[in-house]
């Protein structure tokens, strides 16, 4: 028997995050989060999509703002894209927001504005995968459908002493089945108790085993394997790109343009930019020539370089090393859409990777 099989073979029936351990703890310790005040499927779905984008603390503010602006699925279906992108600003992955709109359209057209409770039907809607379908159907409708995310995988890997890498599809499938078999009537509470335990107690770096309701029923705690579990997949190297960004300040305002409809930050507003190799402090002349050529391409002959600033923006699979050139120009060429800094800040959905530039205007 291999070492890995031996380790996984140490699981016992009891070494599982059963509802009888978790629910009492959840009722006594759950956080008062805005989306927990409303079990409406639309509200649950909005919160789940946001929580896939950002941490709970950051999601709270976005959620309240979003639900105030679009309180029902009908409001979202009727919302225009610019307003939706503005509401989504800061959350990244704007394609998710567009999928939400498509999903709302279908829920209104096909289900009269009521999300289906059946997991398989939910999974047929745009942007809803197995996890989100499990979360919505269990939290909103108390259907016995697990929602296995990173938190749940971590808790279960530790509780069971399971050394299978967390990205293993079979492990996720088997765990989903195993959890479904122990789901109680209070299905939504059980789903949330697993997530809550991962968020508050069974933390990635330093789990608080002393305060855990699974203490005494957890293999990792018993064997001292907390730091070895869960087994994470190797992260691929992120691709790095360098970008020169032009902040053009003219009497009429500042130039922005729309990104292409497909690809990174599709359809969002950005400041004019282009890939470049970057310049060292000794390459002043080459940098000046680069600026002159790039600005001529934009239709600008005269400019004053006021200052420049570096910034790194990290996406999931990509890193942009950006240099913003802040330039005063006497007149904006007609080919560039121009806006006042107030309009840019208040009304337009500027891609998150470029939002740091707003401070430089
Ligand atoms: S916090 Fe500790 S006892 Fe609780 S599940 Fe995680 S590793 Fe086990």
């Amino acid at each position: 028997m291999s070492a890995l099989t031996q380790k996984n073979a140490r699981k016992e029936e009891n070494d599982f995050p059963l509802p009888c351990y978790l629910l009492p703890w959840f009722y006594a310790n759950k956080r008062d989060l805005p989306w927990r005040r409303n079990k409406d499927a639309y509200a649950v779905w909005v919160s789940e999509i946001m929580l896939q984008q950002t941490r709970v603390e950051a999601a709270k503010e976005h959620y309240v703002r979003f639900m105030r602006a679009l309180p029902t699925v009908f409001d979202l279906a009727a919302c225009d894209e610019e307003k939706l992108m503005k509401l989504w600003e800061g959350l990244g992955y704007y394609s998710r927001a567009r999928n939400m709109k498509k999903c709302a359209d279908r829920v209104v057209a096909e289900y009269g504005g009521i999300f289906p409770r059946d997991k398989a039907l939910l999974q047929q809607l745009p942007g809803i995968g197995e996890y989100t379908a499990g979360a919505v159907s269990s939290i909103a409708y108390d259907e016995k459908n697990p929602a296995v995310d990173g938190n749940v995988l971590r808790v279960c890997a530790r509780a069971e002493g399971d050394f299978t890498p967390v990205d293993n599809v079979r492990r996720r499938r088997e765990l989903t089945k195993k959890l479904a078999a122990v789901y109680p009537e209070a299905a939504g509470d059980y789903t949330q108790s697993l997530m809550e335990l991962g968020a508050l107690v069974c933390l990635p770096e330093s789990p608080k085993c002393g305060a855990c309701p699974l203490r005494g029923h957890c293999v990792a705690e018993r064997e001292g394997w907390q730091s070895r579990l869960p087994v994470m997949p190797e992260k691929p190297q992120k691709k790095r790109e360098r970008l020169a960004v032009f902040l053009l300040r003219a009497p009429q305002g500042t130039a922005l343009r729309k990104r292409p409809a497909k690809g990174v930050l599709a359809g969002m507003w950005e400041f004019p930019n282009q890939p470049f190799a970057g310049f060292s402090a000794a390459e002043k002349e080459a940098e000046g020539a680069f600026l002159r050529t790039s600005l001529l391409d934009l239709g600008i002959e005269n400019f004053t370089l006021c200052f420049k600033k570096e910034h790194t923006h990290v996406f999931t699979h990509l890193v942009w090393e950006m240099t913003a050139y802040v330039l005063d120009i006497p007149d904006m060429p007609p080919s560039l859409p121009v806006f006042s800094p107030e309009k840019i800040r208040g009304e337009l959905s500027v891609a998150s990777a470029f939002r740091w530039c707003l401070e430089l205007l």
Side-chain angles (χ1 to χ4, degrees), residues 87-339:
L87 279 170
W88 202 253
E89 200 174 78
L91 283 165
Y93 279 112
Y94 290 85
S95 56
R96 285 217 173 124
R98 290 196 186 91
N99 270 337
M100 285 177 80
K101 166 87 170 73
K102 285 185 202 155
C103 181
D105 290 343
R106 292 259 311 264
V107 171
V108 167
E110 294 172 28
Y111 298 101
I114 297 168
F115 278 75
R117 59 191 301 148
D118 185 280
K119 188 178 166 190
L121 290 179
L122 281 167
Q123 278 183 255
Q124 286 171 20
L125 293 168
I128 297 194
E130 184 168 8
Y131 166 78
T132 310
V136 172
S137 63
S138 65
I139 298 172
Y141 297 123
D142 275 327
E143 291 287 329
K144 296 180 179 179
N145 292 319
V148 177
D149 68 349
N151 273 343
V152 177
L153 280 164
R154 180 172 65 256
V155 168
C156 293
R158 284 175 174 163
E160 291 193 284
D162 193 298
F163 279 76
T164 316
V166 289
D167 61 340
N168 184 296
V169 179
R170 208 172 67 191
R171 161 71 179 157
R172 187 181 283 253
R173 211 168 31 231
E174 283 171 4
L175 184 59
T176 304
K177 234 167 142 182
K178 208 168 162 185
L179 281 169
V182 301
Y183 252 67
E185 292 305 314
D189 291 341
Y190 185 46
T191 294
Q192 292 181 86
S193 70
L194 282 160
M195 296 171 175
E196 196 78 335
L197 191 77
L200 297 182
V201 177
C202 194
L203 304 172
E205 299 304 327
S206 9
K208 302 173 183 169
C209 299
C212 182
L214 298 183
R215 197 173 182 199
H217 311 285
C218 171
V219 177
E221 189 242 342
R222 197 165 63 226
E223 304 290 338
W225 290 343
Q226 292 95 326
S227 61
R228 296 172 59 193
L229 288 169
V231 175
M232 301 303 285
E234 272 185 33
K235 281 194 183 153
Q237 275 278 337
K238 290 187 188 203
K239 195 173 151 200
R240 298 186 89 83
E241 289 175 358
R242 301 200 67 151
L243 275 192
V245 184
F246 307 114
L247 304 192
L248 305 167
R249 302 192 302 197
Q252 305 96 319
T254 307
L256 283 183
R257 66 184 184 192
K258 280 249 178 181
R259 288 186 62 78
K262 285 208 162 28
V264 180
L265 305 173
M268 305 294 298
W269 289 101
E270 66 173 4
F271 293 97
N273 64 81
Q274 67 179 69
F276 80 144
F279 297 96
S280 68
E283 294 174 305
K284 284 253 172 304
E285 227 170 88
E287 190 170 24
F290 162 77
L291 277 180
R292 279 192 296 280
T293 315
S294 308
L295 293 173
L296 261 184
D297 287 346
L298 293 171
I300 298 163
E301 283 182 34
N302 300 313
F303 63 88
T304 307
L305 173 61
C306 303
F307 62 94
K308 60 179 189 173
K309 189 156 187 203
E310 314 275 336
H311 180 83
T312 300
H313 188 84
V314 181
F315 298 93
T316 323
H317 303 295
L318 179 68
V319 176
W320 274 356
E321 289 166 359
M322 307 162 88
T323 303
Y325 292 95
V326 181
L327 302 140
D328 281 344
I329 56 172
D331 204 15
M332 192 67 77
S335 57
L336 289 172
V338 60
F339 302 96

